[in-house]
Amino acid sequence: MIPMQLFLALCALAAPQDPALEKALATAAKYAETGRFEAAVATLKGAGADTSEDARARTQYGVWMMRWTEARLAAGDPELAGLAAVDAWYEVADVFSAATQLKGASDEPWEQWSECLLNANDLGQALSVADDGLKAQRDSVRLLLQRGRVLMAQARKAAQVGKAEDEAARYAEAESSFKLAMGKGPKLAAPCLRLAELKVTLWAQRGATDAGLRAEAVQLWSEAVRREPKGVDLPTLHAWLGADAVAPLTAYLEKEPESVDAVWFRGLAHWAANPIGWEGLRADMQRVLEVNPGFVDANFYLGDGAMRRAQELVSGGEWETADAHFAVASRFWAAFLRARALWKPVRNRAHPLRAGTRSRNAPPPNPYECALVVRQLVNDKRARL
C-alpha cells in the first residue's frame, strides 16, 4: 500500500492549479507563439503570476519577461539604450531569483537567472548562480551546460585582456562541465553540441591548424545525432563544420533517412570540400531534385561542382574526362537559368552556344567555353536577383 502521507502528496501534485492562473498561462503561451511577448507578460501579471507562490507560474512569467526584453533590444527600443539594458536584465533576474525560493522550483529558474546575469555582463555572479543551482539541483544537465556557457564567456573576456592562463583555465573548466553533462544526460544531444562548439572555438583560436581538435568536434557532432537527431539543428551543424559536416550528416541520415534537409546540407558539405566531393555532391543534389524539383538552387551547385571537378581533371591532364564534366556543368547551369526564368537566347552569332552559327564541317563548340559562358550568365543573373 502507498503510505498516507505519500498518497496525499501525490494528490496535491495532481490537483488542478488556480483555474484563472492556468487560463492565463495558456493565453500567454498563445501570445508568445506570435511574438507578442508584452501581451504575454501583461496577461500573467494580471493573473498574479508575478507574486504567485506557484514556482512554475513565476518562472514562466520570468521567461516571457526575458523574451520581451530580448525583442525590445533587437528592435532598438530607445528606452533600453545603454545602461538601461543592464538594469532591464537585472529586473528579470530578480524574478527568477524569487522563483528559485518557491516550493517545487525546478532547475529552470536557476538557469535563466544565470542567463540574465550573463546578458548583463555580470559574469562572476552568473557563474555563482549556476554553481548555487547545482547545489540545489545536483543532477541538472541544463545547469551544467549553463555553467559551461558562462565559463566560456569568462575565457573570452580573459583573452581580450591578454590573460592567457586564465583563458586556458576557464576553457578547461567549461570542457569538464560539458563532459559531466554528457554523462548525466546520455540521451541528449545538447551536451555533445556545446563541447563540439568549444573544440571548434579552440581550433579557430589556435590558427585552424590543430587537426586533432577538429576531429574531436566532428566526432562529437556525430555522437549528438546518434543520441538525439531532433536535437541537432542542421543549418548550425553545417555552419560550424563546413566540409567536415559530411560524417555527422551521414550519421543523421542513418537515423532519419527521409530527411531531405540533411541530404541538402550534406551536398553543400561535399561542395565545400577541397578537392570537391563531386560524386557525393551529385548524388545528394540529384536526390533533392527528385524529391523537390522546384528546389532549383541544387542545379546551381551541380553546375558549379561539375565545373570545379572539370578544372581539377584538367590539372591532372585528364582532358577528355574534363570535357565531359564541362558539358555537365553547362547543362546544370542552363537548368538553373531556365528554372529561374532567366534564360534568354544568345544574340551574338559568334557565341559558342549559339545554335546554327557553325558550318556543317566545323567542330562542335568547346565544352570548356560553353561552361564558362553559362557560368558567366548565371553569375550575372544571380547578381541581379
Side-chain angles (χ1 to χ4, degrees):
M1 291 182 63
I2 300 177
M4 181 56 70
Q5 287 184 327
L6 178 57
F7 176 76
L8 292 173
L10 290 172
C11 288
L13 288 173
Q17 301 291 326
D18 176 0
L21 189 54
E22 287 296 312
K23 183 178 179 180
L25 285 165
T27 301
K30 290 181 180 179
Y31 281 133
E33 286 177 2
T34 58
R36 299 175 61 190
F37 299 114
E38 182 178 6
V41 170
T43 298
L44 287 184
K45 187 169 184 178
D50 58 327
T51 57
S52 173
E53 293 299 307
D54 184 317
R56 180 173 62 99
R58 188 83 71 93
T59 299
Q60 195 57 55
Y61 174 70
V63 168
W64 298 144
M65 278 191 70
M66 194 175 187
R67 298 292 170 261
W68 182 29
T69 301
E70 290 170 345
R72 293 174 68 191
L73 287 169
D77 188 338
E79 292 185 5
L80 293 185
L83 293 177
V86 175
D87 292 339
W89 284 122
Y90 278 119
E91 181 182 353
V92 184
D94 288 342
V95 175
F96 290 120
S97 173
T100 64
Q101 305 305 308
L102 299 177
K103 185 178 180 180
S106 69
D107 53 2
E108 184 177 11
W110 290 99
E111 177 197 25
Q112 304 293 18
W113 181 10
S114 173
E115 184 68 12
C116 288
L117 294 170
L118 181 59
N119 290 339
N121 203 33
D122 191 345
L123 305 186
Q125 193 60 28
L127 183 61
S128 294
V129 168
D131 285 339
D132 289 345
L134 282 165
K135 293 174 185 176
Q137 309 275 346
R138 295 176 57 187
D139 295 322
S140 171
V141 171
R142 67 194 305 167
L143 283 172
L144 286 168
L145 295 179
Q146 178 64 18
R147 185 173 190 274
R149 270 174 47 76
V150 177
L151 285 163
M152 286 187 69
Q154 290 186 334
R156 289 190 293 270
K157 189 170 184 178
Q160 291 171 358
V161 294
K163 296 183 177 180
E165 290 185 7
D166 285 349
E167 177 192 6
R170 296 295 180 270
Y171 275 130
E173 281 191 75
E175 180 171 348
S176 296
S177 192
F178 293 147
K179 285 182 175 178
L180 188 56
M182 284 180 66
K184 290 185 178 293
K187 295 183 179 180
L188 299 175
C192 304
L193 298 176
R194 299 295 83 77
L195 184 54
E197 289 165 2
L198 185 151
K199 296 291 183 180
V200 175
T201 298
L202 293 177
W203 170 80
Q205 288 184 349
R206 296 174 186 177
T209 58
D210 191 329
L213 280 173
R214 189 76 179 182
E216 286 183 70
V218 172
Q219 188 279 327
L220 285 162
W221 250 291
S222 297
E223 174 64 18
V225 299
R226 282 191 288 268
R227 287 181 171 206
E228 186 189 9
K230 299 298 185 184
V232 178
D233 182 70
L234 298 180
T236 301
L237 189 165
H238 176 259
W240 276 88
L241 291 183
D244 290 331
V246 171
L249 287 165
T250 299
Y252 187 97
L253 284 162
E254 290 172 1
K255 293 284 189 178
E256 302 286 340
E258 301 303 315
S259 173
V260 181
D261 286 347
V263 175
W264 163 253
F265 282 110
R266 188 174 66 177
L268 292 181
H270 284 302
W271 175 79
N274 187 22
I276 192 168
W278 167 242
E279 295 301 329
L281 168 63
R282 180 173 62 182
D284 286 340
M285 290 301 175
Q286 287 184 328
R287 182 178 169 191
V288 169
L289 288 170
E290 287 171 4
V291 175
N292 182 4
F295 204 76
V296 297
D297 280 2
N299 285 310
F300 173 81
Y301 286 101
L302 284 165
D304 190 72
M307 184 74 170
R308 287 171 54 197
R309 179 57 184 149
Q311 290 168 333
E312 291 170 1
L313 290 165
V314 167
S315 297
E318 300 180 54
W319 297 97
E320 290 187 9
T321 308
D323 274 354
H325 283 76
F326 284 130
V328 168
S330 296
R331 188 173 75 248
F332 282 122
W333 273 327
F336 170 78
L337 288 169
R338 283 194 298 271
R340 289 279 192 167
L342 299 174
W343 180 268
K344 292 182 179 179
V346 178
R347 298 187 182 280
N348 180 1
R349 298 190 63 83
H351 197 292
L353 295 181
R354 177 71 176 177
T357 62
R358 304 183 310 276
S359 68
R360 183 172 298 178
N361 297 323
N366 183 290
Y368 171 67
E369 292 178 356
C370 292
L372 285 178
V373 168
V374 180
R375 181 171 68 174
Q376 188 59 51
L377 287 169
V378 170
N379 290 339
D380 289 347
K381 299 297 186 181
R382 284 171 69 90
R384 298 171 191 168
L385 291 178

